[in-house]
Amino acid sequence: MSNLDNREKRMLLALQGRKGAWTLDEVLTACNWDDQAYAATAGHGLSNHGLVDIKETTRATLRHGPEGENAVAEGLLEARLWNWIKNSPEPSMAALSSTFERSESGPGIGLLKGLGVSIQQGVLVATDSNSVSAAIEERTAFITSLEGSEEMVAHFSNRRGLIEEVLTTTRTWQISKTGMAVSAQELTEKQVVSQITPELLQSDEWKDMEFKPFDVTLEAAMPRSGRSHPMQALIERIRAIFLEMGFSEIADDYVQSAGWNMDALFIPQDHPAREMQDTFYLEEPTGIDVPDELIKQWQAIHEHGGDTESIGWGGKFDPEVSKKALLRTHTTVNTVQYLKENPDKPCRVFTIDRVFRKESIDRTHLPEFHQIEGIIMEEGANLAMLVTTLKTFYAKMGYPEVRVRPAYFPYTEPSLEVEVKWRGKWLELGGAGIFRPEVTEPLGIKWPVCAWGMGLERLAMLVLGLDDIRQLYISDLAWLAEQPIL
Ligand code: PHE
């Protein structure tokens, strides 16, 4: 009987003392309890084990309604009226209405009429005073004690608020044969531990203790406490993954020159994404200084390929365009500058930062969002390494199914699109590739550079199961409180 809890053991042991039905009071006394819920629960448990039989009887009892309580305190309405009639020299209707509220005199006369009182020339009279008094006494006795004839119950049930019927269930418990057969030894109560403390673990005592089983499937209250916004928490998690994979983090401003944001990346100056309707250009600062020497190199590469084997884009390159200030449209502007500053040091760096594009806001677009950008530059860096790195990243995020498809970016060759399987569908999460010589040569780089840029908000939608990207930034407190800890 090790699956009995302590209260069940105690109650069964008590019931073994005498066959036959036990009342609640008897059980409480025998078990030394003062809470009847203990007896009810333990009895129920024992009955489920077939050790005890429960008999329930339901009985209707009466109790006072709100008007009934008033009647006990002040007398029934008909009693008070009758008293007044008996004691006044001339119980006229006029005198009645100056003594009693209209809300009482009306119904009161109705009640008295039923008992044989009538109105004669404006005066209340009774043909048989004694029978009126007797009837009122009977009613008063009933309403005081709540005990009396069926007629009394019927009468007061028809009057509002005087009596109420309540159903009470009484139980008795009787031990069964199997219950009798349980040995007293099996019914010794054990100390049950519901909380494991460091002190307990340090001593050896825990070895002999019994632990309260926890039902992890039960509903529990959601702890509410201050914590990071889900986006911040997600950034932390991504950061931790890249650091763990041996990457270092870089950060840079989001105000940049068109030269670094686009020219350095061999994006042609007439590329549609450069248009005002796609990119936020700035009035302040009016321009950003870019070394002339760099602009000259970009110009040569764009116009005819410069010293690379490329033939460039042809046409005319405008050096003034390179100096335009803008809000960066991708974080590739930062990794490419990192390479310029560290051309001969193999590296693995990443950045998670904000970018801006003139998008109209809808379910899947925001004008301001974040990218997860990274590069690997080292001798022998190649496409397989790039794909494995991205697959490893997504696997660590909890998305083991990743595929890449051919894509196009002006600054990479080959170029890839990265897709992740989510709820049975392939979703595009970012771009990647190996920087073209048109990008790396002016920077003085000798090794291949694997590069990628992925959408953070898109990933957040997967992680949080959202179908509307705007949910991430509307500060919906109820929604925020419900988000999982990432
Ligand atoms: N910059 C690209 C974008 O914004 C992503 C990308 C980064 C693609 C690096 C290739 C290499 O979508």
Side-chain angles (χ1 to χ4, degrees):
M1 280 304 132
S2 55
N3 47 356
L4 293 186
D5 69 24
N6 280 338
R7 285 184 192 147
E8 291 165 342
K9 286 179 180 171
R10 186 182 296 196
M11 183 161 165
L12 189 62
L13 196 65
L15 264 55
Q16 284 183 340
R18 170 169 63 79
K19 291 185 188 165
W22 290 60
T23 65
L24 176 66
D25 283 339
E26 289 168 337
V27 172
L28 291 181
T29 321
C31 294
N32 199 16
W33 287 333
D34 52 16
D35 188 343
Q36 57 170 329
Y38 288 10
T41 341
H44 198 69
L46 289 170
S47 140
N48 283 343
H49 284 103
L51 302 170
V52 157
D53 297 316
I54 304 178
K55 268 210 191 64
E56 288 192 347
T57 39
T58 305
R59 207 162 49 91
T61 50
L62 294 177
R63 67 166 179 217
H64 289 114
E67 288 306 317
E69 274 160 27
N70 284 344
V72 173
E74 292 157 24
L76 284 164
L77 176 57
E78 59 268 47
R80 286 185 285 124
L81 243 66
W82 182 239
N83 239 351
W84 174 81
I85 290 170
K86 284 195 295 184
N87 294 322
S88 55
E90 207 204 33
S92 69
M93 289 298 283
L96 177 79
S97 56
S98 66
T99 317
F100 288 90
E101 293 289 337
R102 180 177 277 231
S103 61
E104 290 204 315
S105 55
I109 288 168
L111 287 164
L112 288 176
K113 274 187 175 167
L115 294 172
V117 175
S118 57
I119 305 169
Q120 280 165 30
Q121 279 127 32
V123 178
L124 290 151
V125 284
T127 12
D128 184 353
S129 266
N130 288 340
S131 88
V132 178
S133 290
I136 288 178
E137 264 162 43
E138 194 192 349
R139 286 186 188 175
T140 303
F142 177 87
I143 202 68
T144 319
S145 65
L146 293 178
E147 271 165 39
S149 64
E150 297 268 317
E151 286 92 337
M152 277 297 119
V153 178
H155 168 82
F156 281 106
S157 299
N158 281 330
R159 290 172 64 175
R160 187 149 16 114
L162 280 159
I163 57 168
E164 286 165 5
E165 204 179 65
V166 274
L167 295 178
T168 46
T169 305
T170 41
R171 284 186 198 89
T172 57
W173 295 270
Q174 183 165 356
I175 193 158
S176 70
K177 274 215 182 88
T178 18
M180 239 9 191
V182 179
S183 75
Q185 192 197 327
E186 284 179 273
L187 296 179
T188 37
E189 292 178 36
K190 285 223 178 106
Q191 193 189 344
V192 182
V193 181
S194 58
Q195 216 171 9
I196 299 171
T197 60
E199 292 77 14
L200 183 67
L201 294 176
Q202 274 156 23
S203 74
D204 266 351
E205 280 169 48
W206 61 269
K207 289 183 179 159
D208 302 318
M209 288 182 171
E210 203 159 291
F211 293 90
K212 186 176 193 288
F214 282 99
D215 185 349
V216 292
T217 63
L218 288 180
E219 272 219 36
M222 178 86 159
R224 299 260 188 260
S225 60
R227 57 191 171 118
S228 298
H229 188 282
M231 285 308 283
Q232 195 53 45
L234 183 63
I235 290 174
E236 299 294 353
R237 200 170 134 197
I238 294 168
R239 183 172 279 149
I241 291 175
F242 277 113
L243 292 172
E244 177 182 304
M245 288 169 69
F247 284 77
S248 309
E249 186 169 4
I250 58 168
D252 205 345
D253 300 336
Y254 49 70
V255 173
Q256 295 285 349
S257 62
W260 278 113
N261 194 83
M262 290 130 172
D263 298 331
L265 289 164
F266 196 51
I267 300 175
Q269 287 199 328
D270 58 2
H271 193 286
R274 291 194 178 219
E275 300 290 316
M276 289 271 282
Q277 55 271 27
D278 292 300
T279 301
F280 290 107
Y281 288 95
L282 301 176
E283 284 172 8
E284 268 294 328
T286 40
I288 291 184
D289 259 354
V290 182
D292 279 341
E293 194 206 329
L294 262 177
I295 296 188
K296 277 207 189 82
Q297 272 179 305
W298 293 336
Q299 177 161 22
I301 286 172
H302 279 244
E303 287 179 357
H304 51 77
D307 295 336
T308 69
E309 281 162 39
S310 166
I311 55 164
W313 295 112
K316 206 69 208 110
F317 181 95
D318 181 355
E320 285 313 303
V321 168
S322 304
K323 295 177 189 159
K324 279 202 214 165
L326 49 74
L327 296 179
R328 69 176 165 218
T329 60
H330 54 183
T331 38
T332 321
V333 66
N334 301 123
T335 44
V336 76
Q337 284 177 94
Y338 178 86
L339 289 172
K340 165 73 185 162
E341 281 149 32
N342 306 274
D344 42 24
K345 216 169 56 185
C347 71
R348 293 175 170 229
V349 297
F350 75 99
T351 183
I352 308 167
D353 226 331
R354 192 178 296 223
V355 299
F356 307 83
R357 290 181 197 172
K358 259 193 185 166
E359 305 270 13
S360 8
I361 298 179
D362 65 25
R363 234 168 35 75
T364 51
H365 292 95
L366 292 171
E368 199 179 318
F369 57 101
H370 293 77
Q371 287 188 323
I372 311 163
E373 187 89 24
I375 48 169
I376 300 175
M377 171 182 66
E378 62 189 42
E379 198 179 347
N382 57 35
L383 199 65
M385 188 186 252
L386 172 62
V387 174
T388 306
T389 303
L390 296 176
K391 282 195 169 168
T392 307
F393 166 72
Y394 282 114
K396 282 175 185 277
M397 283 301 302
Y399 302 98
E401 286 189 82
V402 176
R403 74 176 184 190
V404 292
R405 300 200 308 155
Y408 173 77
F409 300 100
Y411 35 99
T412 48
E413 180 60 36
S415 302
L416 306 173
E417 229 155 53
V418 187
E419 295 187 329
V420 169
K421 194 158 204 180
W422 185 68
R423 296 187 180 165
K425 278 192 301 195
W426 289 104
L427 299 178
E428 198 217 303
L429 288 190
I434 302 205
F435 277 152
R436 295 172 69 105
E438 288 93 331
V439 175
T440 52
E441 283 193 21
L443 307 175
I445 284 167
K446 304 185 276 288
W447 300 302
V449 182
C450 301
W452 64 86
M454 305 177 287
L456 173 68
E457 280 77 3
R458 287 278 174 89
L459 183 58
M461 287 172 78
L462 303 201
V463 173
L464 302 171
L466 298 181
D467 56 13
D468 192 328
I469 199 166
R470 291 169 286 198
Q471 184 69 42
L472 295 170
Y473 295 114
I474 55 173
S475 302
D476 173 348
L477 288 181
W479 177 80
L480 286 169
E482 268 172 24
Q483 292 317 294
I485 292 174
L486 297 177

